Amino acid sequence: MKAIVTIMLKDGVLDPQGKAIGHALNNLGFAQVGEVRMGKIIELELAGTDAAQAKSEAEEMARKLLANTVIESFKVEVAG
Amino acid sequence: MKAIVTIMLKDGVLDPQGKAIGHALNNLGFAQVGEVRMGKIIELELAGTDAAQAKSEAEEMARKLLANTVIESFKVEVAG
């Protein structure tokens, strides 16, 4: 199974990387760009065939290692 | 409109960050974890209400600034 963990900074947490990207896009002429937020995506190849189990395992990995839950939120999707 | 750009290293390009995460998860006791790939996700707030236009603009931004298309592939989704 493949689990995809998406990690974003929580709303209200300053995102300097996103700000820098927004400024760079504005400077390149993309005036329509407003707020920009940047996050991480982690694709995990998991042994096993149970989608619900894979999802709960990936959530445990996100809580224990992948995300900093003080400032980041995460979501897990499982694909075939 | 909100455009979400997902950027991953192309298949065959070595992903040392993903490898490090995989090893760390294995060491934490998650023996079921195989290959891990890490990528970026960039959420752009765009002025305008035309979804097709927002998508093509975000693709242009990805080609020009956000992704390194030599080693990275990207996909764009547009949400309300």
Side-chain angles (χ1 to χ4, degrees):
Chain A
M1 313 273 333
K2 193 185 242 183
I4 298 174
V5 182
T6 308
I7 302 166
M8 297 297 295
L9 286 169
K10 285 181 180 169
D11 287 340
V13 178
L14 191 69
D15 181 354
Q17 267 188 304
K19 282 244 182 308
I21 292 169
H23 285 305
L25 286 170
N26 290 153
N27 290 340
L28 272 176
F30 295 105
Q32 73 273 45
V33 177
E35 206 194 343
V36 180
R37 306 280 292 173
M38 181 157 179
K40 288 175 278 191
I41 186 160
I42 299 170
E43 289 185 4
L44 304 161
E45 195 60 52
L46 299 178
T49 54
D50 184 335
Q53 198 194 330
K55 186 167 185 195
S56 79
E57 287 171 355
E59 283 170 350
E60 197 190 339
M61 293 175 207
R63 272 192 303 273
K64 283 201 178 162
L65 179 75
L66 305 177
N68 175 354
T69 53
V70 176
I71 56 168
E72 293 171 326
S73 61
F74 66 87
K75 77 170 197 275
V76 174
E77 288 162 281
V78 171
Chain B
M1 315 270 333
K2 193 184 241 183
I4 299 174
V5 182
T6 308
I7 301 167
M8 298 296 296
L9 286 169
K10 287 181 179 170
D11 287 339
V13 178
L14 192 68
D15 181 354
Q17 266 188 303
K19 284 242 183 305
I21 292 168
H23 286 305
L25 286 170
N26 290 153
N27 290 340
L28 272 176
F30 295 105
Q32 73 274 46
V33 177
E35 206 193 345
V36 179
R37 307 281 290 173
M38 181 158 180
K40 288 175 277 194
I41 187 160
I42 299 170
E43 288 186 3
L44 304 160
E45 196 60 51
L46 298 177
T49 54
D50 184 334
Q53 198 194 330
K55 185 168 185 195
S56 78
E57 287 172 355
E59 283 171 350
E60 197 189 340
M61 293 175 208
R63 271 191 304 273
K64 282 200 178 160
L65 179 76
L66 306 177
N68 175 355
T69 52
V70 176
I71 56 168
E72 293 171 328
S73 61
F74 65 88
K75 76 167 196 278
V76 174
E77 288 161 281
V78 171

